[in-house]
Amino acid sequence: MILQGLVAVFQPLTILLIAVGTFVGIIFGAIPGLTATMAIVMFLPVTYSMTASQGISTLMALYIGGISGGLISAILLNIPGTPSSVATCFDGKPMADKGEAGKALSTGVVFSFIGTAIGIALLIILAPVLCDVALKFQAYEYCALAIFSLSMVIALTGHDTPKGLVSAVLGALLATVGLAPIDSRPRFTFGLYQLNNGFALVVLLIGLFAISEVMAYAENVRQDQNFTVKEDFKMKGLGFTAKEFVSNIPNAIRSALIGVGIGILPGIGGGVSCMISYTVSKNLSKQRELYGTGIMDGVVASETANNATIGGAMIPLLSLGIPGDAATAMLLGGLQVHNVSPGPLIYQNNGQVVYAIFFAMMVAAVFMLLFMMLGMKIFVSVLKIPKNFLLPVVVVLCGIGAIGNANMAFDTYVMVGFGLMAYLMKKAKIPSVPMILGFILGPMFEENLRRCSQLTSSDPFYNHPIFMVLIAVTVVVSVFSVRANQKEAKIAAGQEKKALENAENQ
């Protein structure tokens, strides 16, 4: 079966389809709002006439290209192309602002490839074992996992914890709009049917990152602007040294394991894995205070994790028939279209297709690395375009992405509303990043908390060791993060005091 899968993929037509799929996926990932999920949905009908190996290989290439392409707009424009690239903005854009756009892009591309490779390797080797663990996650375990992930907000807020918590709570409140879990009662819809499904994550991200950026620029548009085009892009080798690469290997391995672990758990996805891996990397780093100012380690943590999530999400999809996120839900439809039934018997009934998927993922990862490295100069040339020409195009693309999410023009109004909210939050110095984490994890926490409340009498929490372990880890992480934030606050206060004294002396 392994040889048959290898032969099925390494056909000229299949290789060409993988290359095209990867390229198209990168484009969809790079344009804000046009996610990997949307690429798979749009091209799924195209695969109907293909063989199973060709069709599924094309869809996998779109998936890998779409997740990886998000780093381009995240680094160059501070707008995550996909939800999986949110944390890439934190250090990627500051690196670009310092003239290290090439280094940031090459770091993201190389470690995206590494994360994808590690995810595929773990998918092949550990699928049966990891699926057994995932099956043990029930309401209690998911509730504890949501609490643990939300505790990461403390680390993300830095020395201003209260404002960060306000942002996270606001995000969780926004997630309550729509039909309630379990009983499906409408909440905060105000009679608008467009709000029955709640706010879309893609629309929220576009508003928070893209529209707020345009508004901030518009604030100064009447002032004298410098429209000087930047010098030609120059970069030696990969942009980073061998020493920097080696020093980030532990960070990459740790982030990849986090990405695979999060990917295995249904309904969470790369948006959470990149945030958690970024926070863990920041907490364990000896140069914690440099995160957010343009450090290579932050890009490594985010991009390795979100691409490793691809392999993790494929584990429950193939072995149990349970999609890990929206993209794998579309892939599940693609598998069924081609008469492939995911589940415990997939290796017996469709072994050739399974191994073809593995080989196709490897080939797509290589194409992703080649296309993005070869296109580096084209990507960086975006920085040469004056913002007064670039931002109107960005707004149009964002509008297309918002409408394309659910084919509703209403989402464009929501997008602008979120942009205005993010602009006002910047004025109040309230971080928007914790809001994203609260928005993603709020529904999971609420749904599973309600289920836990129904189970307490028949199935008490102390019968769930994984729940107890996760709660204990949450307490430890929270205490550690609070202490680190207090230390960071003291350093910041000392620096401000010293700056004031120097100003007075002058």
Side-chain angles (χ1 to χ4, degrees):
M1 288 189 295
I2 296 176
L3 184 60
Q4 290 175 334
L6 181 66
V7 171
V9 170
F10 284 90
Q11 299 286 336
L13 180 57
T14 308
I15 294 291
L16 177 62
L17 289 171
I18 294 173
V20 172
T22 306
F23 182 75
V24 172
I26 291 171
I27 294 173
F28 269 74
I31 298 175
L34 301 183
T35 61
T37 305
M38 197 174 296
I40 295 171
V41 170
M42 291 183 65
F43 282 84
L44 182 59
V46 179
T47 68
Y48 288 172
S49 60
M50 301 178 187
T51 65
S53 298
Q54 291 173 348
I56 298 170
S57 296
T58 304
L59 296 177
M60 289 307 310
L62 288 164
Y63 185 23
I64 291 175
I67 296 295
S68 304
L71 67 89
I72 298 172
S73 55
I75 291 171
L76 299 180
L77 303 174
N78 199 32
I79 304 169
T82 66
S84 300
S85 301
V86 171
T88 308
C89 296
F90 304 162
D91 283 288
K93 187 58 168 68
M95 288 180 72
D97 291 340
K98 293 190 296 186
E100 297 180 343
K103 179 179 180 179
L105 285 169
S106 61
T107 298
V109 172
V110 170
F111 283 93
S112 290
F113 174 78
I114 292 173
T116 306
I118 294 175
I120 295 170
L122 292 177
L123 165 64
I124 296 171
I125 299 170
L126 301 177
V129 178
L130 294 177
C131 281
D132 289 340
V133 176
L135 283 173
K136 294 179 181 178
F137 271 68
Q138 299 173 9
Y140 279 105
E141 287 73 20
Y142 276 112
C143 187
L145 181 64
I147 295 172
F148 168 72
S149 300
L150 286 168
S151 70
M152 296 295 176
V153 169
I154 299 174
L156 286 172
T157 54
H159 58 272
D160 201 349
T161 303
K163 288 184 177 180
L165 293 176
V166 167
S167 178
V169 171
L170 183 57
L173 289 175
L174 288 172
T176 62
V177 175
L179 301 180
I182 300 179
D183 57 16
S184 296
R185 291 185 179 180
R187 301 182 302 189
F188 310 115
T189 59
F190 303 103
L192 297 173
Y193 72 89
Q194 295 95 334
L195 291 177
N196 284 341
N197 291 328
F199 297 121
L201 176 60
V202 170
V203 178
L204 174 71
L205 291 177
I206 292 172
L208 290 185
F209 287 94
I211 303 304
S212 63
E213 188 84 9
V214 174
M215 289 181 177
Y217 179 77
E219 182 182 6
N220 303 316
V221 74
R222 291 187 177 276
Q223 299 178 7
D224 292 336
Q225 303 290 324
N226 180 15
F227 295 124
T228 304
V229 176
K230 297 191 176 184
E231 295 180 0
D232 290 338
F233 166 63
K234 294 180 181 179
M235 185 178 72
K236 294 181 180 180
L238 293 175
F240 52 84
T241 64
K243 183 179 179 181
E244 288 176 321
F245 177 80
V246 172
S247 65
N248 270 290
I249 288 178
N251 182 15
I253 294 174
R254 179 177 61 244
S255 300
L257 294 176
I258 292 172
V260 172
I262 294 296
I264 293 170
L265 304 174
I268 302 180
V272 176
S273 68
C274 74
M275 300 278 277
I276 292 178
S277 62
Y278 181 88
T279 308
V280 171
S281 176
K282 178 180 178 180
N283 283 340
L284 297 179
S285 175
K286 295 180 180 178
Q287 43 190 2
R288 187 176 187 270
E289 68 282 355
L290 295 180
Y291 277 72
T293 63
I295 185 173
M296 177 179 170
D297 304 42
V299 178
V300 170
S302 173
E303 285 303 316
T304 308
N306 63 28
N307 279 266
T309 305
I310 296 171
M314 290 298 295
I315 292 174
L317 175 66
L318 294 178
S319 300
L320 302 173
I322 301 173
D325 54 16
T328 49
M330 296 300 105
L331 289 173
L332 176 60
L335 289 169
Q336 292 173 343
V337 164
H338 291 283
N339 297 318
V340 178
S341 301
L345 299 178
I346 190 171
Y347 286 91
Q348 297 179 22
N349 299 334
N350 302 102
Q352 174 186 340
V353 177
V354 173
Y355 287 106
I357 291 173
F358 296 157
F359 288 119
M361 292 175 72
M362 296 176 188
V363 174
V366 173
F367 275 125
M368 179 272 294
L369 180 66
L370 291 175
F371 289 154
M372 295 185 73
M373 292 304 293
L374 291 174
M376 194 74 68
K377 289 188 177 182
I378 300 174
F379 302 148
V380 177
S381 64
V382 172
L383 297 176
K384 298 179 181 179
I385 304 174
K387 279 194 172 183
N388 61 322
F389 297 132
L390 178 64
L391 291 182
V393 177
V394 170
V395 171
V396 172
L397 292 175
C398 289
I400 293 171
I403 293 173
N405 177 69
N407 291 326
M408 291 195 304
F410 178 79
D411 282 337
T412 58
Y413 306 129
V414 175
M415 173 189 76
V416 174
F418 282 138
L420 179 60
M421 181 180 66
Y423 173 73
L424 295 175
M425 287 172 65
K426 284 182 181 179
K427 291 292 184 181
K429 296 183 178 180
I430 298 175
S432 58
V433 175
M435 178 187 290
I436 299 167
L437 206 56
F439 186 85
I440 295 173
L441 295 169
M444 184 175 76
F445 173 70
E446 180 191 4
E447 181 178 352
N448 288 288
L449 181 64
R450 293 182 66 173
R451 287 178 177 171
C452 290
S453 66
Q454 296 171 349
L455 295 171
T456 49
S457 58
S458 59
D459 186 18
F461 68 89
Y462 48 78
N463 289 337
H464 296 263
I466 297 177
F467 170 84
M468 303 290 286
V469 170
L470 285 172
I471 293 297
V473 171
T474 301
V475 173
V476 173
V477 169
S478 299
V479 171
F480 178 83
S481 298
V482 168
R483 289 184 176 179
N485 287 348
Q486 289 175 344
K487 184 178 178 181
E488 190 174 323
K490 288 181 180 178
I491 294 173
Q495 290 175 345
E496 288 180 5
K497 185 178 179 181
K498 189 175 180 180
L500 288 173
E501 290 176 353
N502 291 335
E504 289 175 359
N505 293 333
Q506 290 177 356

